Amino acid sequence: MSVMLTPGKAGYPAFRAILDGAAARLDPAALPRIEAAAAIVAKAAASDAAVYGINTGFGKLASKRIPAQDTATLQRNLILSHCCGMGEPTPAPVVRLMMALKLLSLGRGASGVRPLVIRQIEAFLEAGIVPLVPAQGSVGASGDLAPLAHFTAAMMGEGEAFLGDKRMPAAEALAKTGLTPLVLGPKEGLALINGTQFSTAHAIAAALQAERLALSALVTGALSTDAAMASTTPFRPEIHALRGLPGQIEAAETLMLLLEGSEIREAHLEGDERVQDPYCLRCQPQVTGAALGLIREAMRTLVVEANAATDNPLVLVETGEIVSGGNFHAEPVAFAADQIALAISEIGAISERRIATLVDPALNFGLPPFLTPAPGLNSGFMIAEVTAAAIFAENKQRATPASIDSTPTSANQEDHVSMAAHGARRLHEMNANLARILGIEMLVAVQGIDLRKRGAGLEGLKGGAASAHVLRTGPRLERVVEELRAHVPALAEDRFMADDLALSAHLIACGATLHAAGLATIESEG
């Protein structure tokens, strides 16, 4: 499968397909403008006038003129000198998306590269060559210089790459796939390493997962609502229409949909003396809905950035000018990543509170302490709740904004930077942590629902324990219960629990929980 990318119009369905392994090609309609910009650069390279990045040095060295015969060496040296990344290799799906985003950026026809460069990127994606891009080294201004340099070096036959699962010298990967190392022309190295594609690819991949997890949190929250025998009145649409926030309205509608047909809910409508539930149950639309809205706002920024020309200088085809600017500064991406981090942290915060409510006999409306049928001899979910609190604390610390932590670089030429790269990278681990918290909530909530089926806390209520009828949650949530129970049995007595927690977290992370509930991710088109 190959995705056709039209500059200025690519969206999340294409990004998701590329992350899932699809190749990508640039819309041929973009080529005339690319060729026109390349011709302008070629003319500038042959002239005596100084043009930044074409016949001058870079950054603080921009005042150094480079002879015409040395411009090819200039571009090669630029790439090799900037291959200063460190740390673990960037995950292959993110690198593939980064390459596709570079296609989109170059496809705007403002970078001055030849079509040959476009074809090399397309060939890498088609052949399954994934450059080895170390995770660390970008401050998110002047572009993601080090990561993009490693990607460019691989196209030149330098550095390392993966072909399938095998790590090898990039030159070997090129030889095995019948490709020729790229020889850079004027400005092409600069066009390839200036830009925000590394940061943006990380942020897009994380945003898609964060959206999935936000919706999954509505499923675990609905399970907790039934396990706690909480009221669904706070989810009524009239309440949320009076505020008007789309994420809040969607969250409330989703919770009502998930809880529709719950016999547990109906059983406690009479005889329950509680007037209001704790905020972690009652305010789910206001909190998780707001987080969902924040994630989608960030996604809209990221889809614009993904389609942008972000290198420097830029070629204005209409006037024939080559102009310097600062589109490589990744502040919009850094802000988007910080927004997503806040949302991830808050979804985990309110989920952890629901877990704590369900295991606490003072708050869980008749369920046994720590949800074990034999408390005292058994500790039940006591330490699972502690684990959720520990993991949430990690995410809370990671949610500190990265964008406010500028550090001047390059002899103060680049004196304000965005820190978008690690701001976006941290989101992957935050998402993994959130999946773990939601996995614990799902285990705890389903255990509570299982106990309700046996009549726990229903004494004296309408349809309570005296009834011979087994009370069930709603049909959608019942399918979620069945999905979990196919992998993790109910907790009758204490056992080794780490595997249970890992399995439940995996069901959340891979989308199985959403699928069982009949919900789909709404991937914003920006």
Side-chain angles (χ1 to χ4, degrees):
M1 176 185 174
S2 185
V3 175
M4 181 71 73
L5 297 174
T6 301
K9 297 181 179 179
Y12 284 97
F15 304 154
R16 168 62 73 190
I18 293 163
L19 286 166
D20 288 342
R25 293 180 295 116
L26 193 65
D27 187 340
L31 288 177
R33 188 176 180 87
I34 292 171
E35 291 170 339
I40 293 170
V41 168
K43 181 179 178 181
S47 75
D48 293 330
V51 182
Y52 174 71
I54 295 175
N55 53 17
T56 74
F58 307 103
K60 199 75 170 179
L61 304 176
S63 60
K64 300 290 186 180
R65 282 296 303 275
I66 307 298
Q69 66 269 23
D70 291 333
T71 54
T73 302
L74 174 70
Q75 297 300 312
R76 179 177 177 81
N77 287 349
L78 172 69
I79 299 306
L80 298 181
S81 69
H82 283 55
C83 286
C84 292
M86 299 185 76
E88 294 298 313
T90 300
V94 175
V95 176
R96 291 175 58 80
L97 182 57
M98 180 187 76
M99 290 193 285
L101 298 186
K102 182 56 80 172
L103 277 178
L104 280 171
S105 182
L106 300 178
R108 294 297 294 268
S111 301
V113 303
R114 296 164 295 164
L116 177 65
V117 176
I118 303 296
R119 290 196 291 270
Q120 187 81 334
I121 299 173
E122 291 174 334
F124 263 52
L125 288 165
E126 183 65 34
I129 301 175
V130 178
L132 191 157
V133 177
Q136 295 172 300
S138 173
V139 295
S142 254
D144 291 316
L145 296 173
L148 290 171
H150 282 273
F151 144 63
T152 304
M155 294 200 297
M156 297 162 52
E158 301 285 349
E160 293 184 279
F162 293 92
L163 187 58
D165 294 331
K166 189 175 180 183
R167 179 173 173 172
M168 63 186 70
E172 183 180 343
L174 286 164
K176 285 179 177 292
T177 54
L179 298 178
T180 302
L182 177 66
V183 178
L184 297 172
K187 191 186 174 300
E188 289 179 342
L190 190 59
L192 285 163
I193 68 170
N194 261 194
T196 66
Q197 288 74 37
F198 176 79
S199 299
T200 305
H202 271 294
I204 285 173
L208 287 167
Q209 179 67 350
E211 184 191 39
R212 172 187 284 177
L213 294 174
L215 293 173
S216 298
L218 296 175
V219 178
T220 60
L223 288 166
S224 292
T225 299
D226 242 10
M229 299 183 71
S231 173
T232 58
T233 297
F235 307 151
R236 286 181 55 173
E238 300 93 331
I239 294 173
H240 307 287
L242 287 168
R243 198 173 207 180
L245 292 170
Q248 180 176 325
I249 291 168
E250 180 186 341
E253 289 175 348
T254 302
L255 288 164
M256 289 293 273
L257 177 68
L258 290 167
L259 288 158
E260 186 177 329
S262 168
E263 296 171 348
I264 297 173
R265 173 180 174 271
E266 295 298 324
H268 80 94
L269 290 180
E270 294 182 14
D272 188 346
E273 296 181 354
R274 291 176 296 176
V275 176
Q276 293 187 135
D277 296 306
Y279 287 3
C280 65
L281 296 165
R282 192 193 340 158
C283 297
Q284 291 182 69
Q286 289 81 1
V287 177
T288 307
L292 185 58
L294 200 59
I295 292 166
R296 292 199 176 135
E297 179 183 332
M299 291 173 80
R300 287 189 286 273
T301 295
L302 293 172
V303 79
V304 172
E305 185 73 5
N307 284 277
T310 56
D311 59 289
N312 179 64
L314 292 172
V315 181
L316 306 182
V317 170
E318 289 76 12
T319 64
E321 295 174 279
I322 301 174
V323 297
S324 290
N327 278 3
F328 50 68
H329 199 295
E331 195 81 347
V333 182
F335 282 161
D338 284 346
Q339 285 181 276
I340 296 167
L342 290 172
I344 292 170
S345 181
E346 280 299 274
I347 294 167
I350 195 168
S351 173
E352 189 278 330
R353 286 293 82 205
R354 291 192 295 266
I355 296 166
T357 296
L358 288 175
V359 301
D360 187 344
L363 300 173
N364 64 19
F365 197 67
L367 293 173
F370 305 107
L371 304 180
T372 175
L377 178 63
N378 295 288
S379 296
F381 288 93
M382 179 188 294
I383 303 305
E385 186 270 327
V386 174
T387 299
I391 295 172
F392 159 62
E394 288 186 16
N395 270 5
K396 182 168 60 174
Q397 292 155 13
R398 286 190 171 101
T400 300
S403 58
I404 62 173
D405 193 22
S406 176
T407 299
T409 61
S410 298
N412 274 309
Q413 176 74 10
E414 297 154 12
D415 59 351
H416 183 278
V417 299
S418 72
M419 296 300 180
H422 73 263
R425 282 195 299 111
R426 68 177 158 165
L427 299 177
H428 301 299
E429 185 55 37
M430 290 186 72
N431 275 332
N433 278 343
L434 178 55
R436 294 170 187 132
I437 295 168
L438 296 177
I440 293 172
E441 182 183 7
M442 182 162 64
L443 284 173
V444 168
V446 169
Q447 179 82 359
I449 286 171
D450 285 344
L451 292 167
R452 296 296 187 202
K453 289 178 181 178
R454 299 186 225 165
L458 297 170
E459 296 84 356
L461 300 183
K462 178 184 176 183
S467 170
H469 179 64
V470 174
L471 298 177
R472 295 186 176 275
T473 188
R476 287 175 180 268
L477 295 182
E478 195 64 41
R479 290 195 295 271
V480 176
V481 171
E482 291 168 358
E483 176 69 26
L484 177 65
R485 287 291 174 248
H487 299 85
V488 181
L491 189 67
E493 58 186 18
D494 286 350
R495 62 173 182 255
F496 186 87
M497 291 191 69
D499 293 344
D500 297 349
L501 271 59
L503 281 168
S504 188
H506 174 70
L507 293 176
I508 294 287
C510 75
T513 300
L514 275 183
H515 184 265
L519 299 181
T521 306
I522 303 170
E523 293 171 358
S524 169
E525 290 290 341

